[in-house]
């Protein structure tokens, strides 16, 4: 029986429910004595110069081994943006000079024998600054917004101005989305041992290969001198995907002390350690005929980037031309330099931010025209990708609309705002479309089969918690033809075959493709051994005629003529056989199809008219992401994505004091992520499609799970209250 | 004041020890005094304040030998009075199943049972718990046989990354004992001290209900 498509329980589940899974900060020290602790001291101004650092008290405090500032830190080499990871990460060279670019930037690192001593000594470091006036938010710097055509090339289809001029109805609205933080429950942890031969790094990262290459570059080492390990990760959501300072300063501390050093960023430091979702302003103009058919979409965005980053981050409007078949589309973005950390992707960098405004504006258009919001979207369904003009590799969006609406009961919706009630609560129903580009990364896998019939699949990728261990096991077991119980997965070590990053919804597609190729190559290899082996019942058979089922190889049409993998290996005195597989994604240049995942969110909110509080009471999400490898882990991933969308819509914003550019809510008390009581039953529907243009038809779920949820909730709030909030999150004050 | 915290607390409390509310209250008090608790967040708060009054002489935090009864075993260790129960479990006893998510009492990742009650172990000092019965995630299963809550979490896929899971399971085990698993709504409310950023909440509710014998819904 095929394992792919089965709801296999997480293979690492038992380790996680017994507390035995070892995350980075849990690793036992090598020899019981060597591990020491580092604590960062972070800037309390957002812009300026360090004028003095008084470290006398700190150095004299108990147990202190080292205190690193820009004066004594090892010199670093710059890490070019493309070398570590695409467009978005930190180019700041940490502890190299006296400049401060954002509040929370590390200005000193204390190393001590115990965590208590290091924490205390860090509190004794006295830093004086010559503070300058920072650019606190996007709004303070908006007059200096700049274009960066290389990073945000305006996307243009037809002539948007003409399309707007021809429209019978034009919606012209401006929306803002706040900076938000990922806040994986595991904060950023790094443990480094630096010896003459090797630098060994345990780190919570979404890309072990990036950390290896980045550390090698910045410290002037060869990549093979750096080994990076990350077996269990406590979430990431984009926040552990970027090159950022915690790993760098831990490596510095390990080099200077010769000890194994661990640094675990505090929750407060997580507000300036690994980047955040960008703050944005998005002006949208939709032009339409009276029947709702779009004549134009124009979106002009402004997003923030950090004051020190040498190239602006991603273009949040890049996916705007994708969901709807408008003949005229234009989307642009300008950037503002702000004294904050560099924005990084957060579920997702483009669609998860830039489509919030489009999906809200579509709802406003529907209300204006008196057309049902779902019907409006159907009328503008794109038969091909409007942006590239290419046919879709596959597209299940219409079925997502239909099945989602049916499950939700959408036809019962009274179109009039404020018309539905449940006792004192106002009830609102809203929906939105979700799209997400489907891609993958170059990935290598190795599958090894032992003489005991057990096999292992290895990839130097990592499991964020989404189920990568499990789906790898399933795919490799099928490819080799053994039961899943005989297959084990290994991830999270740069000594394994090279894997890509766990971001961009790429992991499942990349890992599955490579594991399948390696498993199939190994199966072919053993078959070749068997058919050439006089002692085998398969001797002389054509390799193409040998089938494998449950670890048993037999000749097509004669099940009795066969034997098990283990028998072949033992007779040939082979302790193990292995084979590798290399997945190379199709080139983006010259593509003949557009590869996207699709979804539709339907949501119900109940609003207290006196208090302005909003509760999501029901949510249905239908997703077409090709084929689902494991419906159980996939469902959990989608539920979790919707929960993050609830936070995006209703509670989460990183608040900055406009005078000094310091974050005012840097804790879980101030920054509200959804808790259990905020979350209703969530229904996930998978609309499955075979996609001949994508290996295994795997499009990825990580981001489409969240995209669409926040605008659906915003639209439901309008339906409930008649009030349109265009500034996320929709907190009670905005409804009163 | 801070230097006598250890001795005051280590004098031991009446059976049951301080209540969670009392511990919370003391945590805040220590934070206000800027030193003594060794909690990273408090040190940060101190740094953020202008010219925090550091009194060097109050910091001579000599380690004290204590014994803790953890998962049914008597463990002897040397901790400073400012060492939290969480750090003592993780860094001194190697019981790393209990996680640190915030070190501020706001996430529940560090939940353990102290005399059967759920406690945020980042908000209590190890020296305050020397006479208490402490249960961590490592002590929940009976040998190879998982606790019903652990089984239900596996069956309901009530986690993804697993980082919050130890705390969720400890909370769930206690809340079922407390009689707070009567309905999905009640579970949601009483499990809301445990944040799951992976958003496994609906499955967590199902798991708690199943373990409590109330059916999944
Ligand atoms: S670590 Fe104790 S509540 Fe968060
Ligand atoms: S399972 Fe990842 S935080 Fe709960």
């Amino acid at each position: 029986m095929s394992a792919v498509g089965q709801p296999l329980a997480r293979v690492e589940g038992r380790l996680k429910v017994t507390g035995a899974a070892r995350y980075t900060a849990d690793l036992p020290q090598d020899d019981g004595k060597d591990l020491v602790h580092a604590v960062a001291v972070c800037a309390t101004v957002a812009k300026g110069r360090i004028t003095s650092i008084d470290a006398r008290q700190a150095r004299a405090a108990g147990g202190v081994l080292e205190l690193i500032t820009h004066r004594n830190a090892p010199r670093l080499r710059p890490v070019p943006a493309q070398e570590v990871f695409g467009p978005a990460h930190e180019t700041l060279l940490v502890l190299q000079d006296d400049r401060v670019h954002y509040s929370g930037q590390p200005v000193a690192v204390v190393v001590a024998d115990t965590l208590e001593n290091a924490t205390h000594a860090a509190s004794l470091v006295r830093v004086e600054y010559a503070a300058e006036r920072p650019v606190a938010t996007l709004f303070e710097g908006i007059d200096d917004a700049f274009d960066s055509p290389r990073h945000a090339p305006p996307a243009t289809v037809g002539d948007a101005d003409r399309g707007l001029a021809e429209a019978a109805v034009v919606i012209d609205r401006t929306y803002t989305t706040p900076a938000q933080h990922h806040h994986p429950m595991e904060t950023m942890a790094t443990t480094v041992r630096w010896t003459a031969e090797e630098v060994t790094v345990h780190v919570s990262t979404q890309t072990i290969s990036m950390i290896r290459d980045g550390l090698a570059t910045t410290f002037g080492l060869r990549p093979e001198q750096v080994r990076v390990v990350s077996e269990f990760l406590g979430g990431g959501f984009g926040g552990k995907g970027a090159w950022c300072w915690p790993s760098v300063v831990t490596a510095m501390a390990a080099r200077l002390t010769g000890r194994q050093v661990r640094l675990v960023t505090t929750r407060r430091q997580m507000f300036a350690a690994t980047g955040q979702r960008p703050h944005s302003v998005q002006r949208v103009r939709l032009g339409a005929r009276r029947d709702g058919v779009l004549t134009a979409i124009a979106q002009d965005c402004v997003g923030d980037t950090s004051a020190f980053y040498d190239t602006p981050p991603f273009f949040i409007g890049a996916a705007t031309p994708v969901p709807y078949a408008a003949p005229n589309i234009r989307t642009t973005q300008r950037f503002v330099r702000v004294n904050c950390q560099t924005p990084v992707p957060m579920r997702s960098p483009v669609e998860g931010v830039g489509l919030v405004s489009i999906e809200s504006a579509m709802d406003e258009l529907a209300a204006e025209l008196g057309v049902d919001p779902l019907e409006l979207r159907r009328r503008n369904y794109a038969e091909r990708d409007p942006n590239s003009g290419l046919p879709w590799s596959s597209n299940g969006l219409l079925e997502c609309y239909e099945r989602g609406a049916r499950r939700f009961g959408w036809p019962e919706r009274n179109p009039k705002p404020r018309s539905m009630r449940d006792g004192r609560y106002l009830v609102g129903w809203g929906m939105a479309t979700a799209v997400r580009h489907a891609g993958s990364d170059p990935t290598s896998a190795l599958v090894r089969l032992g003489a005991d019939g057990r096999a292992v699949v290895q990839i130097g990728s990592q499991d964020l918690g989404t189920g990568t261990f499990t789906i790898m096991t399933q795919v490799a077991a099928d490819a080799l033809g053994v039961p899943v119980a005989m297959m084990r997965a290994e991830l999270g070590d740069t000594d394994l075959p090279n894997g890509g990053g766990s971001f961009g919804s790429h992991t499942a597609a990349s890992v599955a493709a490579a594991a399948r190729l390696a498993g199939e190559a190994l199966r072919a290899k053993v078959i070749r051994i068997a058919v050439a082996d006089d002692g085998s019942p398969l001797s002389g058979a054509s390799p193409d005629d040998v089938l494998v089922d449950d670890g048993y190889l037999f000749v097509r049409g004669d099940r009795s003529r066969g034997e098990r993998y283990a028998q072949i290996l033992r007779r040939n005195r082979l302790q193990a056989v292995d084979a590798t597989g290399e997945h190379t994604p199709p080139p983006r240049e010259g593509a003949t199809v557009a590869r996207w995942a699709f979804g539709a969110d339907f949501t119900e909110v109940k609003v207290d008219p006196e208090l302005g509080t909003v509760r999501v009471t029901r949510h249905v999400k239908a997703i077409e992401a090709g084929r689902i490898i494991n419906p159980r882990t996939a469902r959990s991933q989608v539920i979790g994505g919707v929960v993050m969308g609830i936070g995006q819509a209703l509670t989460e914003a990183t608040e900055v004091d406009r005078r000094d550019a310091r974050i005012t809510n840097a804790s879980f008390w101030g920054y509200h992520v959804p808790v259990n009581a905020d979350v209703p039953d969530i229904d996930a529907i998978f609309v499955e499609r075979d996609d001949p243009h994508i290996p295994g038809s795997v499009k990825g779920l990580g981001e489409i799970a969240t995209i669409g949820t926040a605008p659906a909730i915003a639209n439901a709030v309008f339906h409930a209250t008649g009030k349109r909030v265009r500034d996320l999150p929709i907190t009670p004050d905005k409804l009163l | 004041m801070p230097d006598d915290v250890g001795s005051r607390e280590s004098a031991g409390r009446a059976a049951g020890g301080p209540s969670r509310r009392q511990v919370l209250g003391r945590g805040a008090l220590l934070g206000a005094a800027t030193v003594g608790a060794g909690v990273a967040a408090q040190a940060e708060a101190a740094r953020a304040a202008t010219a925090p009054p550091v009194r060097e002489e109050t910091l001579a935090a000599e380690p004290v030998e204590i014994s803790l009864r953890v998962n049914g075993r008597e463990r002897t260790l040397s901790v400073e009075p400012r060492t939290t129960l969480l750090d003592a479990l993780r860094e001194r006893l190697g019981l790393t199943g209990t996680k640190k998510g915030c070190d501020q009492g706001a996430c529940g990742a560090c939940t353990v049972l102290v005399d059967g009650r759920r406690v945020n172990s980042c908000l209590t000092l190890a020296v305050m718990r020397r006479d208490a019965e402490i249960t961590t995630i490592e002590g929940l299963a009976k040998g190879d046989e998982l606790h019903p809550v652990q089984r239900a979490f596996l069956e309901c896929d009530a986690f993804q990354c697993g980082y919050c899971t130890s705390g969720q399971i400890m909370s769930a085990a206690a809340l079922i004992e407390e009689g707070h698993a009567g309905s999905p709504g009640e579970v949601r409310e009483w499990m809301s001290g445990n944040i799951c950023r992976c958003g496994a909440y609906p499955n967590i509710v199902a798991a708690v209900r199943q373990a409590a014998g109330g059916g999944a819904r």
Side-chain angles (χ1 to χ4, degrees):
Chain A
M1 192 180 69
S2 157
V4 168
Q6 300 301 316
L8 183 69
R10 277 167 216 277
V11 294
E12 79 288 13
R14 197 181 167 101
L15 292 177
K16 287 179 174 173
V17 300
T18 54
R22 296 269 185 185
Y23 300 78
T24 299
D26 303 340
L27 295 162
Q29 46 214 67
D30 289 354
D31 52 15
K33 283 270 175 287
D34 193 43
L35 182 81
V36 295
H37 299 264
V39 171
V41 178
C42 293
T44 54
V45 302
K47 186 178 181 191
R49 282 181 188 280
I50 300 165
T51 53
S52 77
I53 299 180
D54 179 354
R56 282 167 301 176
Q57 263 195 331
R59 282 190 195 278
V64 172
L65 301 165
E66 183 61 84
L67 198 148
I68 312 171
T69 70
H70 66 277
R71 301 216 177 88
N72 64 342
R75 294 299 104 185
L76 301 176
R77 302 175 192 200
V79 179
Q82 299 309 324
E83 190 154 325
V84 265
F85 158 57
H89 70 278
E90 181 166 1
T91 47
L92 182 64
L93 287 173
V94 58
L95 298 179
Q96 299 296 292
D97 60 29
D98 60 357
R99 300 278 332 173
V100 176
H101 304 275
Y102 63 95
S103 172
Q105 177 185 325
V107 294
V109 175
V110 180
V111 189
D113 57 348
T114 65
L115 178 59
E116 290 84 358
N117 279 336
T119 302
H120 174 58
S123 77
L124 300 176
V125 177
R126 295 282 160 264
V127 185
E128 304 287 340
Y129 304 90
E132 297 162 28
R133 192 173 173 78
V135 180
T137 76
L138 186 61
F139 297 113
E140 277 71 34
I142 208 149
D143 293 342
D144 297 321
F146 62 93
D147 291 305
S148 183
R150 190 159 75 84
H151 301 94
T156 313
V157 177
D159 179 345
D161 291 330
R162 206 184 56 219
L164 288 169
E166 285 168 6
V169 182
V170 174
I171 294 289
D172 182 351
R173 301 279 191 272
T174 298
Y175 304 85
T176 55
T177 65
Q180 292 172 326
H181 274 84
H182 314 76
H183 285 308
M185 291 310 297
E186 178 203 34
T187 62
M188 192 75 197
T190 316
T191 304
V192 180
R193 171 185 291 291
W194 188 304
T195 67
E197 298 79 51
E198 190 181 70
V199 179
T200 310
V201 183
H202 287 87
V203 57
S204 36
T205 178
Q206 293 175 230
T207 319
I208 50 175
S209 53
M210 169 199 60
I211 299 285
R212 176 196 57 202
D213 297 347
L215 287 176
T217 303
T218 205
F219 286 102
L221 303 166
R222 294 187 310 279
E224 59 274 20
Q225 289 175 284
V226 183
R227 178 178 170 213
V228 178
V229 180
S230 187
E231 192 179 6
F232 288 105
L233 268 164
F237 318 111
K240 290 174 183 163
W243 176 244
C244 53
W245 60 262
S247 317
V248 182
V249 301
T250 315
M252 277 182 180
R255 181 168 142 189
L256 290 176
T257 58
R259 305 286 291 266
Q260 187 179 24
V261 180
R262 173 180 299 159
L263 185 148
V264 181
T265 54
T266 63
R267 181 56 60 187
R268 180 187 177 88
Q269 288 170 345
M270 285 297 280
F271 283 82
T274 65
Q276 68 284 335
R277 185 181 261 157
H279 183 192
S280 80
V281 179
Q282 307 172 29
R283 179 184 177 196
V284 175
R285 279 166 292 170
L286 299 181
R289 303 189 323 216
R290 276 269 148 228
D291 62 1
V293 171
L294 290 167
T295 60
I297 302 173
Q299 183 190 38
D300 298 295
C301 307
V302 186
D304 58 0
T305 185
S306 64
F308 59 85
Y309 189 62
D310 56 15
T311 53
F314 38 85
F315 176 22
I316 61 176
T320 296
V322 176
Y324 302 115
N328 306 291
I329 306 171
R330 184 190 65 230
T331 168
T332 66
Q333 180 169 350
R334 298 194 304 147
F335 298 91
V336 176
R337 290 205 180 279
V338 173
N339 290 99
C340 63
Q341 252 287 18
T342 309
V344 296
M346 179 171 169
R347 258 188 159 180
S348 72
V350 175
E351 300 84 352
V353 183
L355 294 183
V356 167
S357 63
I358 298 294
E359 288 306 308
S360 301
M362 284 294 280
D363 201 66
E364 301 211 37
L365 178 63
E368 177 82 24
L369 292 169
V371 177
D372 176 80
L374 175 58
E375 180 53 30
L376 180 70
R377 286 167 172 85
R378 281 207 188 99
R379 286 183 195 167
N380 289 288
Y381 172 76
E383 295 288 348
R384 323 179 121 235
D385 172 18
N387 199 20
S388 61
L390 296 173
W392 305 111
S393 63
S394 60
N395 183 337
L397 179 58
L398 289 176
E399 195 178 330
C400 289
Y401 287 152
E402 189 205 313
R403 288 178 55 189
R406 198 173 341 124
R407 179 80 59 87
F408 185 83
W410 185 261
E412 312 301 312
R413 180 177 183 266
N414 182 332
K416 221 166 101 59
R418 277 188 100 89
S419 62
M420 292 165 56
R421 292 191 88 101
D422 174 12
R424 60 191 289 247
Y425 298 108
L426 300 167
V427 177
W429 290 3
M431 60 86 53
T433 304
V435 300
R436 166 66 202 169
H437 182 258
S440 58
D441 294 310
T443 301
S444 312
L446 182 139
V447 179
R448 179 182 302 115
L449 174 69
D452 58 357
R454 295 188 170 274
V456 58
V457 51
Q458 301 178 321
I459 302 180
S461 181
Q462 47 283 308
D463 190 341
L464 278 178
T466 50
T468 313
F469 279 113
T470 309
I471 62 162
M472 259 170 84
T473 307
Q474 291 173 273
V475 172
D478 278 5
L480 185 60
V482 299
V484 279
M486 301 297 271
M487 181 65 70
R488 194 166 53 82
E490 288 182 7
L491 280 165
D493 189 331
T494 50
D495 281 353
L496 301 176
N498 217 8
S502 293
F503 46 65
S505 304
H506 288 190
T507 316
S510 310
V511 160
R516 181 176 299 107
L517 291 171
E520 287 171 354
L522 181 55
R523 175 206 293 234
K525 191 169 177 177
V526 179
I527 289 174
R528 279 198 305 277
I529 294 170
V531 297
D533 174 1
D534 291 342
S536 169
L538 300 166
S539 170
S542 156
D544 293 343
D545 283 338
V546 179
L547 304 180
V548 189
D549 180 28
D550 248 13
Y552 177 77
L553 295 78
F554 59 98
V555 178
R556 192 190 307 273
D558 181 6
R559 224 190 140 94
S560 68
R561 190 180 155 199
E563 62 179 333
R564 306 197 66 78
Y565 271 124
Q567 291 170 292
I568 299 170
L569 265 67
R570 284 205 201 105
R571 194 173 50 250
N572 286 277
R573 295 172 196 271
L574 294 166
Q575 292 206 325
V577 198
D578 60 35
T580 57
E582 304 281 336
H583 165 66
T584 312
R588 278 213 187 195
E589 300 295 309
T592 55
V593 290
R595 298 174 177 84
W596 289 79
F598 300 90
D601 283 75
F602 296 86
T603 198
E604 176 184 87
V605 299
K606 291 189 181 161
V607 182
D608 186 315
E610 265 110 68
L611 300 175
T613 48
V614 180
R615 264 174 192 285
V616 178
T617 46
R618 223 149 54 80
H619 196 96
V620 175
K621 180 151 201 151
I623 288 180
E624 189 267 293
R627 288 275 160 209
I628 300 302
I629 300 173
N630 184 327
R632 178 186 176 105
T633 55
R635 177 174 173 273
S636 291
Q637 201 173 358
V638 172
I639 288 174
V642 170
V643 171
M644 199 165 266
I646 292 173
Q648 181 185 8
L650 297 179
T651 59
E652 294 182 38
T654 302
E655 307 284 359
V656 172
D657 187 316
R658 288 195 170 187
R659 292 162 304 180
D660 58 12
R662 302 197 67 203
I663 294 169
T664 58
N665 60 342
S667 71
F668 279 142
W669 302 315
Y671 184 100
H672 294 159
V673 304
V675 299
N676 208 321
D678 297 324
V679 175
D681 283 333
I682 296 165
D683 223 331
I685 299 170
F686 294 109
V687 171
E688 297 213 35
R689 284 284 184 281
D690 284 321
D691 190 320
H693 302 281
I694 294 176
S697 304
V698 181
K699 292 184 177 179
L701 287 170
E703 289 160 310
I704 193 94
T706 297
I707 299 161
T709 299
I713 292 169
N715 295 342
V717 170
F718 169 76
H719 183 236
T721 63
K723 190 159 178 181
R724 183 73 64 176
V725 178
R726 299 189 184 88
D727 174 35
L728 295 187
I730 305 171
T731 43
D733 52 304
K734 296 176 188 169
L735 285 173
L736 293 178
Chain B
M1 185 227 80
D3 59 340
D4 66 3
V5 167
S7 54
R8 271 199 306 149
E9 291 306 327
S10 61
R13 298 288 113 192
S19 75
R20 192 167 165 192
R21 175 173 296 278
Q22 286 170 321
V23 170
L24 276 162
R26 290 198 180 102
L29 199 60
L30 290 168
T34 76
V35 286
V39 175
Q42 291 165 356
E44 280 184 23
R47 275 200 301 283
T50 48
V54 176
R55 286 190 299 142
E56 195 77 53
E57 70 277 12
T58 65
L59 299 167
E62 286 306 314
V64 284
E65 186 106 335
I66 62 166
S67 58
L68 291 175
R69 222 162 46 243
V70 185
N71 299 330
R73 261 180 72 198
E74 202 76 34
R75 308 278 301 258
T76 305
L77 66 161
S78 154
V79 291
E80 297 180 27
R82 63 186 170 183
T83 301
T84 62
L85 178 59
L86 173 61
D87 287 336
L89 291 169
R90 289 179 52 83
E91 306 291 336
R92 304 290 195 287
L93 299 181
L95 292 170
T96 54
T98 307
K99 301 297 185 233
K100 185 182 284 185
C102 67
D103 217 10
Q104 296 177 315
C107 78
C110 64
T111 307
V112 299
L113 305 186
V114 175
D115 293 327
R117 303 180 52 139
R118 36 185 177 152
V119 162
N120 286 341
S121 62
C122 71
L123 280 191
T124 185
L125 301 175
V127 292
M128 297 161 68
R129 301 302 183 174
R130 50 175 70 178
D131 297 315
E133 189 73 55
I134 296 158
T135 309
T136 72
I137 188 74
E138 290 92 344
L140 211 54
K142 295 219 176 355
D144 271 352
E145 194 196 325
L146 295 179
H147 185 278
V149 173
Q150 291 172 310
R151 256 200 327 269
F153 266 61
L154 271 179
E155 282 162 17
C156 298
D157 203 36
F159 54 91
Q160 289 193 71
C161 78
Y163 198 83
C164 72
T165 307
S166 303
Q168 302 278 0
I169 289 174
M170 298 314 288
S171 262
L175 118 118
I176 291 169
E177 290 299 310
E178 292 159 18
H180 288 136
S183 69
E186 199 181 14
V187 172
R188 284 192 175 109
E189 212 56 47
W190 286 84
M191 287 296 289
S192 280
N194 290 82
I195 296 175
C196 175
R197 190 55 160 164
C198 294
Y201 299 126
N203 291 356
I204 291 171
V205 174
V208 176
R209 295 279 294 149
Q210 179 176 318
R217 291 272 128 180

